[in-house]
Amino acid sequence: MVDADAIVIEDDEDVKLGCLQALALEGIKAIGYDSVEAVPRPLSRDFRGVIISDIRLPGMDGMSFLAKLTNHDPDLPVIMITGHGDVATAVQAMRDGAYDFIQKPFASQQLVSVVQRALEKRRLAMEVRRLRRQLAAKGDLESRIVGHSPAIVELRELVQNVAAVPTDVMIFGETGTGKELIARCLHDLSGRRGPFVALNCGGLPETLFESEIFGHEAGSFSGATKQRIGKIEYANGGTLFLDEIESMPMAMQVKFLRVLQERVVERLGSNKVIPVDFRVIAATKADLLELSGEGRFRSDLHFRLNIVTIDLPALRNRREDIPLLFEYFVNQAATRLNREPPPIREQVVRELIAHNWPGNVRELRNQAERYALGLKSAPGFEVADGPVPLATTVENFERSLIAEELKRNDGNISRTAEAMAIAKTTLFDKIRKYDIRVKES
C-alpha cells in the first residue's frame, strides 16, 4: 500500500519536482512517478490520498488511467494536469469523474489549494465508508450470530472489535456451538481479500496431513504425480481455519509453528521458500493448556495461537435464546423446503427450554428442521411426556430475568441486587447456580 497523501504522475522532471516540493512545504506527503506504469498497483480502496496526473504521458495516458481509477474506486479524487491545448480534454475528464484540473503553468499555491480540498473530500468519503461498513457489519452479525442473551451480545461485540485486527485467534467451545460460523464472521469482516480455507485437523490421517497443509511437488513421494498447493499457501491473503487443532500431530505442530513465526512455507520435495500472508483462526473443544501439561500439545504453539481467545457459550447457558433460535431455524428450513413454516406451540417452546442440548446449536437446528418437516423429535431428544414441570419453567424464567438485569446494569452486582430487591449473597448464589456470565463494567 502506498504511504502518501498524494501521488504525482508527471514525465516532466521539473514540473514533478516543483509539485513535490510545493506539497512538502505544506506538510502534504507526496510521491512522484514519471509514468502510470511505475505506480504500484493495484491501489487499495483504503488509500487515503489523492492522484495528480498529467494528461499526456508515455505509455498509458492520463485519461485512460482516470477511467481505470474511477472504475476501481469512484470516490478517489483525481486531479488532472493539462497543457494549454488540452483544456477541452480536461473538461471531458471532469465529466468522466476527475475531481478538478489545473493548467500549466500553474502557481504552487493553486496546486496546494486544489489538493487540500481534494484531501478533505477523500477524508469525508472514507469516514462515510467506514461508518457504512460499521453499520453493515453490525446488522450482518445480528443476522448471523442470533440471540439477545448477554453472552451473545458480548460475543458479537468481541467479533466486531477483533475482526479487522491482523492477529491470530483461538476459538474455544463445545461441539455444535458454532465455531466455524464465528471464524467465517471474523474472516468476512476482516477486509482480507484472500479465501477462507477450512481444515479439520481431526479428519485427516497423519500420513496425509503434511501434504495437505504444506503441499507437495510432483515426485516428492510415491503417488505424488503432480504438484499440489497446500492449505497454507492456498490461504495466502486470506484466513486459514484449523478446526480441532488439538488433533494436529505433534510432528506437524513443530513445522506449523515455524510457518507461523516466519510466515513462509516449503512444499514437500522443494527447497523453495514461499512467503505467505494469512491469518490463522484455530478452534478447539479441549483445554490446550492441560494437554500441554500432559505432553500432548506443544505449549509454544498454544501460546502463539492464543493471542485473542473467543469463548463460545453452551446453549444450555443461554436458554433465553432458544425460542428465537428455534424460530429462526424453522423459518430457514421452511424456506429451503418451499413450504409454510408451522406455528410454534407454547408447549414446544417449554420442552425446548427444558432440554439440556448436549449437541448445542447444531442439535437445535436439526430439531428445527424435523419440526418444519412435521416429524417427531429426534432420538435422544428427551422431554417430559406431559407438561414441563413448573419448577423448570420458573428456574428458566429466573435465569433469564437475572441475566437481563445484569445486562442493564453493565454487570454490576450491587446495582443488580438492589434493582431486584435481593441480597448480594443470594444473587451470587443464583449466578453460580445458573452459570450466568457476568461482564463487569
Side-chain angles (χ1 to χ4, degrees):
M1 183 174 173
V2 179
D3 180 22
D5 300 318
I7 293 175
V8 179
I9 310 169
E10 173 60 71
D11 61 330
D12 186 318
E13 194 62 33
D14 292 335
V15 174
K16 180 174 68 177
L17 183 60
C19 290
L20 296 177
Q21 289 176 341
L23 294 171
L25 287 172
E26 295 296 326
I28 300 171
K29 185 178 180 181
I31 300 176
Y33 301 97
D34 56 11
S35 69
V36 168
E37 289 74 14
V39 179
R41 280 184 285 173
L43 277 175
S44 168
R45 282 175 57 84
D46 293 326
F47 173 59
R48 307 188 72 84
V50 302
I51 305 291
I52 305 157
S53 175
D54 197 352
I55 288 180
R56 297 184 181 274
L57 291 166
M60 181 183 290
D61 60 41
M63 292 294 286
S64 300
F65 190 42
L66 170 66
K68 283 184 173 292
L69 291 171
T70 52
N71 184 58
H72 174 66
D73 185 355
D75 296 326
L76 178 62
V78 181
I79 301 164
M80 309 301 294
I81 300 176
T82 176
H84 178 70
D86 290 324
V87 173
T89 306
V91 172
Q92 182 59 46
M94 295 280 287
R95 295 195 185 105
D96 292 344
Y99 173 75
D100 205 343
F101 75 92
I102 50 179
Q103 186 178 350
K104 296 178 184 176
F106 50 83
S108 297
Q109 194 51 47
Q110 182 187 1
L111 170 70
V112 169
S113 178
V114 173
V115 170
Q116 285 175 333
R117 291 199 307 272
L119 282 171
E120 179 61 17
K121 178 179 183 291
R122 182 61 169 173
R123 186 191 67 77
L124 291 172
M126 295 297 285
E127 180 65 14
V128 169
R129 189 181 294 176
R130 184 188 69 80
L131 291 171
R132 282 176 178 166
R133 281 178 185 166
Q134 209 171 50
L135 288 171
K138 186 173 182 181
D140 186 48
L141 278 181
E142 287 182 357
S143 66
R144 295 173 72 178
I145 306 175
V146 179
H148 298 312
S149 64
I152 290 302
V153 171
E154 182 182 341
L155 175 62
R156 281 197 294 262
E157 289 176 358
L158 180 58
V159 169
Q160 190 167 349
N161 289 337
V162 305
V165 179
T167 188
D168 299 330
V169 177
M170 176 69 76
I171 302 174
F172 178 81
E174 295 179 9
T175 298
T177 49
K179 295 186 285 292
E180 184 165 347
L181 168 67
I182 300 303
R184 287 187 179 275
C185 288
L186 287 168
H187 171 75
D188 293 344
L189 298 177
S190 69
R192 300 185 71 85
R193 296 181 179 272
F196 177 88
V197 181
L199 178 67
N200 189 316
C201 299
L204 275 178
E206 187 169 346
T207 52
L208 297 179
F209 200 97
E210 188 169 10
S211 172
E212 187 70 20
I213 196 167
F214 298 112
H216 64 252
E217 298 289 350
S220 57
F221 56 86
S222 177
T225 56
K226 59 182 180 180
Q227 183 190 77
R228 177 182 176 83
I229 302 299
K231 297 293 188 184
I232 294 174
E233 191 176 346
Y234 186 61
N236 191 31
T239 301
L240 177 65
F241 174 58
L242 297 174
D243 199 5
E244 297 186 35
I245 185 73
E246 72 276 9
S247 301
M248 181 181 284
M250 288 292 286
M252 292 303 100
Q253 292 179 31
V254 179
K255 296 183 178 182
F256 187 63
L257 180 62
R258 177 176 174 269
V259 173
L260 285 179
Q261 290 171 337
E262 301 180 14
R263 299 289 164 166
V264 295
V265 66
E266 292 180 36
R267 301 185 197 125
L268 284 176
S270 171
N271 293 321
K272 182 181 178 183
V273 174
I274 303 168
V276 282
D277 169 27
F278 68 106
R279 182 191 203 177
V280 175
I281 300 177
T284 182
K285 59 181 180 292
D287 186 336
L288 294 184
L289 201 56
E290 184 178 322
L291 293 181
S292 298
E294 297 171 358
R296 295 161 56 196
F297 196 86
R298 290 187 63 93
S299 58
D300 47 4
L301 178 57
H302 168 246
F303 291 124
R304 179 65 182 78
L305 289 171
N306 200 30
I307 299 171
V308 174
T309 303
I310 297 179
D311 290 313
L312 303 188
L315 187 57
R316 62 183 172 275
N317 294 333
R318 55 178 184 111
R319 293 180 187 270
E320 59 267 48
D321 288 333
I322 290 174
L324 178 62
L325 278 166
F326 188 72
E327 182 182 11
Y328 174 78
F329 290 139
V330 167
N331 289 334
Q332 265 193 342
T335 301
R336 189 173 62 254
L337 297 167
N338 196 27
R339 59 172 63 190
E340 284 295 315
I344 302 172
R345 303 185 304 275
E346 183 63 29
Q347 174 67 17
V348 172
V349 173
R350 291 187 179 188
E351 291 174 349
L352 293 170
I353 291 175
H355 186 56
N356 197 43
W357 300 108
N360 289 292
V361 178
R362 185 181 299 155
E363 183 186 358
L364 179 64
R365 183 191 290 112
N366 292 341
Q367 190 65 25
E369 291 191 5
R370 294 179 69 86
Y371 188 83
L373 287 166
L375 302 176
K376 293 181 180 179
S377 299
F381 184 81
E382 299 172 0
V383 296
D385 292 332
V388 177
L390 178 62
T392 302
T393 303
V394 170
E395 285 184 352
N396 290 329
F397 179 72
E398 186 177 49
R399 183 190 185 283
S400 176
L401 210 62
I402 292 171
E404 284 299 317
E405 195 61 46
L406 279 165
K407 178 184 172 184
R408 274 194 290 271
N409 288 285
D410 298 321
N412 187 287
I413 302 293
S414 299
R415 290 204 303 269
T416 302
E418 184 179 345
M420 302 188 78
I422 58 175
K424 282 177 63 176
T425 53
T426 304
L427 179 59
F428 270 122
D429 289 341
K430 291 184 180 295
I431 288 172
R432 281 196 294 268
K433 175 183 176 182
Y434 298 129
D435 193 20
I436 299 174
R437 288 186 172 199
V438 179
K439 181 182 178 182
E440 291 288 354
S441 57

